[in-house]
Every structure is written in structure tokens, then in C-alpha cells.
Amino acid sequence: MRKDKITQNQYIFIIIFSMIGIGILSLPSDVCKVAHQQGWISTLVGGLYPVFIVLTASIIDNKTNQASFLDINKKIYGKVLTPIITLIFFLYFLTLFATVLAGFSYVLRQSITSFLPPIYIILPVLILIPIISMRGIYMVGRVCEFYFYLTLPLVVIPLFFITK
């Protein structure tokens, strides 16, 4: 297998871990305020949308022969607008990254690590994410796949106690 290719399962694991992030940790309290005990239905329906998006992205990726984002932009927008579109795309994801990191730090401080200052949570994340990302999407997919199998029992075991 080439190092710059990921499998469809790894696409799905990346999306699952995107949902598991801060969203899944803070979602139950937000949904249950409004929907009470029927909140899990909203959560399930809301979780189907990202899975649909990743399957659609996989189909599009296969149809474009795994062309890069820049190559597709150059074909669509030309040489003049491509840097502008890429900069907007980069700024959007930089803002999204900062928001997710702040939310991740907040949830961890509220639930697990209230004794730690935020810098001890944010700094390791800021170090690990670029190191893993620089190794390519293949490494991101492998890390997500590994942690999926590692956390699967942590999600399934509480389901047995849901009636209690």
C-alpha cells in the first residue's frame, strides 16, 4: 500500500473521531436540555450526516483520481483566484482548529483535568497534531483507525448499563 493513500475505512474513522471530539462530549447535555430523554434520537440522526459526507467525499475522491485540492482549484478557478480561494480555505480551517482546541481544553478542564492549567492541555495537542499531519493523511488515518479500535470497548460497555 502506498503511503499517501488511505482506505475508505480510514476515511470513516477520521470522520468518527471528528464527531467524537468535543462534540460528542458536550452534545448530551445540550440536547437533553431541550429534548429530555429523546435526545439520543436527535444525536443519532445528527451523527448520520457526517458519515454521509465522508462517503460522498470518498466517491468524489475516487472520481477525481485522488487529485489534490490545489489541482482541482486550478482547473476550476484558474491561476489568479486559486491562491485567494486557498487562503480563505486555510483561514477557515485555522479558525475551526482554534475553536475545536479551545472547546477540547474547556471540556477536559470541566470533566477530567480540572487541576491542570489550560496550557498543559493545549501544548501537547499543538505539538502532536502538526507532527502527525506532516507525515500525511495516511498517518492521520492510521492513528484514527488505531484509536477507534482502542476506544470501541469504552463506547460499547456503557450500552449494557443503559437500562439501569
Side-chain angles (χ1 to χ4, degrees), residues 74-91:
K74 284 180 184 175
K75 288 179 183 176
I76 295 172
Y77 302 114
K79 290 184 179 183
V80 176
L81 289 178
T82 296
I84 296 169
I85 299 295
T86 305
L87 180 66
I88 291 170
F89 191 75
F90 173 74
L91 291 176

Side-chain angles (χ1 to χ4, degrees), residues 16-17 20 24 147-148 150-160:
I16 286 172
F17 272 92
I20 287 177
I24 204 76
Y147 278 108
F148 176 79
L150 190 68
T151 59
L152 192 61
L154 297 174
V155 173
V156 172
I157 290 171
L159 292 177
F160 292 112

Side-chain angles (χ1 to χ4, degrees), residues 14-96:
I14 289 171
I15 293 300
I16 286 172
F17 272 92
S18 298
M19 293 186 306
I20 287 177
I22 60 166
I24 204 76
L25 294 175
S26 61
L27 182 66
S29 64
D30 296 337
V31 172
C32 288
K33 286 178 188 174
V34 178
H36 303 292
Q37 291 300 320
Q38 284 75 31
W40 66 272
I41 298 171
S42 304
T43 305
L44 180 66
V45 172
L48 293 177
Y49 175 73
V51 172
F52 172 74
I53 293 297
V54 78
L55 291 176
T56 306
S58 175
I59 292 168
I60 291 171
D61 186 48
N62 287 335
K63 289 194 181 274
T64 59
N65 295 324
Q66 290 80 25
S68 72
F69 180 73
L70 286 174
D71 292 338
I72 294 171
N73 272 346
K74 284 180 184 175
K75 288 179 183 176
I76 295 172
Y77 302 114
K79 290 184 179 183
V80 176
L81 289 178
T82 296
I84 296 169
I85 299 295
T86 305
L87 180 66
I88 291 170
F89 191 75
F90 173 74
L91 291 176
Y92 169 73
F93 279 102
L94 189 63
T95 306
L96 188 65

